[in-house]
Amino acid sequence: MTKNKVLLVTGGAGFIGANFVLYWMQNNPNDKVVVLDALTYAGNLANLASVEANEFFEFVKGDICDTSLVESLLQEHQIDTIVHFAAESHVDRSITGPDAFIETNIIGTYSLLKAAKKVWIDLPKAEGQEPLLHRFHHVSTDEVYGTLEPNDPAFTEDTPYAPNSPYSASKAASDHLVRAYHHTYGLEVTTSNCSNNYGPYHFPEKLIPLIITNILNDKPLPVYGDGQQIRDWLYVEDHARGIELVLKKGRIGENYNIGGHNEWANIDIVKLVCDKMNQAFANNPDLTVKYPMATRAVEGKAEALVTYVTDRAGHDRRYAIDATKTNNELKYEPVESFASGIAKTIKWYLENEKWWKPLLSDISKV
């Protein structure tokens, strides 16, 4: 009989982390999940409201840089699996304020690794016992690989790292620390590098929720440069599904790319969301009452809000994930098509104004 897992999910009140927690608890209902989150601007307890009363769920407000706190959680709850999402992730913020990215993404990951090594390896060895069964799963990004030209092959797990922003550089450093703790100390680790996520609970400073909420408030839709930057888009629940497969079937010490096989230029994403929002208002007159400021969408002209702005510094031109290894070894394939995923996402934001509206004021701080 398989022993039930006890997971520590760092950053579990953020966008991807919360979606992972909800997915895991639905599909692994007898496992215990402890969320550790500092509740910075992008962390939101409302993301976890549907599981907060579950007897197998516990939330702890705290900083991953607090190594002693992490050690105590690992011991108190007999945690055997860490799923590490906690990170500063917005590239624009990393350009204007890189310090937080160095602190959280590098020092924070180092803190977790130290705690995991001590509790899972060092303390048992000091008592003459074998290391505890464990897994440290590190969630990274495709941005560590740098940028691609239009005809370049997609990133594989063997693509050399070439980060171009403080954000991606900090994530690359954390990836290297995780690898080092496996090869030097024997910590049982896996790492996944994902493409751009989208879906429910996405903080509305990121492209897709920003476009949706700006349309609803009749605000300009900012597009960097010529808008031809290409990204591979992955529905967030498909990302959670991929991580589950890595945890259950992945080989220790390996990296796995998780992508959506779904490359889009930013301007085409913006135009698609505009078109879908126009259709939503045309098909549902109640939206006009609910969102009286969305005058362009009511007119079927949301695209008129598109505004080209100066490109950001060091803006990578193209990302693309080759997930062949993950597909072949773990039998991973995204369940959502982009058509179904974007429809679910827009529907969620239209129905959850109470969630995103209070968050809009923070975007002006970027």
Side-chain angles (χ1 to χ4, degrees):
M1 184 175 178
T2 303
K3 181 178 179 292
N4 294 332
K5 292 184 177 298
V6 184
L7 283 70
L8 177 66
V9 181
T10 71
F15 164 48
I16 304 178
N19 275 282
F20 172 80
V21 169
L22 300 180
Y23 173 86
W24 190 274
M25 295 192 72
Q26 180 178 356
N27 291 278
N28 303 273
N30 295 318
D31 291 350
K32 182 174 181 179
V33 175
V34 179
V35 167
L36 175 62
D37 199 297
L39 295 182
T40 56
Y41 77 96
N44 189 343
L45 275 178
N47 299 354
L48 300 168
S50 64
V51 296
E52 63 181 356
N54 190 306
E55 63 178 315
F56 294 112
F57 172 80
E58 183 165 333
F59 177 81
V60 177
K61 182 179 180 181
D63 192 332
I64 58 172
C65 292
D66 186 345
T67 310
S68 61
L69 170 62
V70 177
E71 289 176 9
S72 67
L73 291 174
L74 294 177
Q75 293 174 309
E76 175 187 350
H77 297 281
Q78 297 185 308
I79 287 163
D80 53 49
T81 304
I82 293 175
V83 188
H84 177 32
F85 292 96
E88 294 285 344
S89 65
H90 191 45
V91 176
D92 286 2
R93 290 179 184 257
S94 83
I95 293 170
T96 58
D99 288 8
F101 290 73
I102 304 304
E103 181 72 18
T104 299
N105 299 356
I106 301 178
I107 304 301
T109 301
Y110 174 53
S111 169
L112 290 170
L113 290 166
K114 282 197 299 181
K117 173 178 173 288
K118 180 177 178 180
V119 173
W120 288 339
I121 298 176
D122 296 344
L123 292 179
K125 281 187 175 180
E127 297 176 358
Q129 300 175 5
E130 291 296 314
L132 300 176
L133 291 175
H134 65 269
R135 174 74 68 87
F136 186 111
H137 181 74
H138 177 57
V139 180
S140 189
T141 172
D142 56 2
E143 296 194 36
V144 298
Y145 298 125
T147 188
L148 294 170
E149 296 298 324
N151 296 318
D152 285 346
F155 301 129
T156 71
E157 290 82 357
D158 296 323
T159 300
Y161 278 26
N164 291 319
S165 70
Y167 161 61
S168 57
S170 67
K171 288 297 290 184
S174 67
D175 292 7
H176 293 322
L177 283 170
V178 171
R179 174 184 171 86
Y181 263 68
H182 170 64
H183 286 278
T184 302
Y185 303 114
L187 195 69
E188 298 200 346
V189 308
T190 45
T191 296
S192 55
N193 297 77
C194 71
S195 53
N196 278 32
N197 281 216
Y198 70 99
Y201 302 110
H202 204 175
F203 192 78
E205 68 182 354
K206 300 297 182 78
L207 180 62
I208 290 177
L210 177 66
I211 298 307
I212 294 170
T213 56
N214 276 17
I215 288 172
L216 295 176
N217 287 286
D218 227 30
K219 292 184 176 180
L221 310 180
V223 175
Y224 282 125
D226 60 5
Q228 293 301 319
Q229 303 87 1
I230 294 173
R231 301 292 182 263
D232 177 15
W233 291 90
L234 175 68
Y235 190 65
V236 66
E237 188 171 289
D238 280 327
H239 186 190
R241 186 176 293 107
I243 293 173
E244 179 185 41
L245 287 170
V246 174
L247 287 171
K248 293 183 175 181
K249 299 180 180 180
R251 290 181 289 140
I252 301 300
E254 292 293 316
N255 286 48
Y256 292 93
N257 282 349
I258 302 175
H261 313 300
N262 183 41
E263 292 184 55
W264 282 73
N266 284 351
I267 185 59
D268 294 332
I269 288 281
V270 173
K271 290 179 178 178
L272 174 69
V273 173
C274 287
D275 183 58
K276 296 297 183 184
M277 292 290 283
N278 290 339
Q279 291 178 27
F281 275 81
N283 295 334
N284 185 357
D286 291 341
L287 291 178
T288 303
V289 177
K290 186 176 182 180
Y291 297 105
M293 295 180 65
T295 57
R296 292 292 189 177
V298 171
E299 297 168 354
K301 299 177 180 179
E303 191 176 325
L305 295 169
V306 171
T307 304
Y308 290 90
V309 299
T310 302
D311 208 353
R312 72 181 177 209
H315 201 173
D316 291 335
R317 197 64 172 170
R318 173 177 169 243
Y319 304 142
I321 282 281
D322 181 343
T324 299
K325 175 181 176 180
T326 311
N327 300 154
N328 290 344
E329 287 192 20
L330 310 181
K331 308 306 178 187
Y332 171 78
E333 288 288 347
V335 170
E336 298 293 341
S337 67
F338 194 55
S340 65
I342 203 70
K344 286 184 175 182
T345 301
I346 290 173
K347 183 175 185 290
W348 189 88
Y349 279 89
L350 289 173
E351 293 176 352
N352 287 276
E353 181 186 18
K354 290 182 179 179
W355 179 86
W356 55 259
K357 192 171 184 179
L359 304 177
L360 295 183
S361 61
D362 196 74
I363 297 174
S364 62
K365 300 175 185 177
V366 176

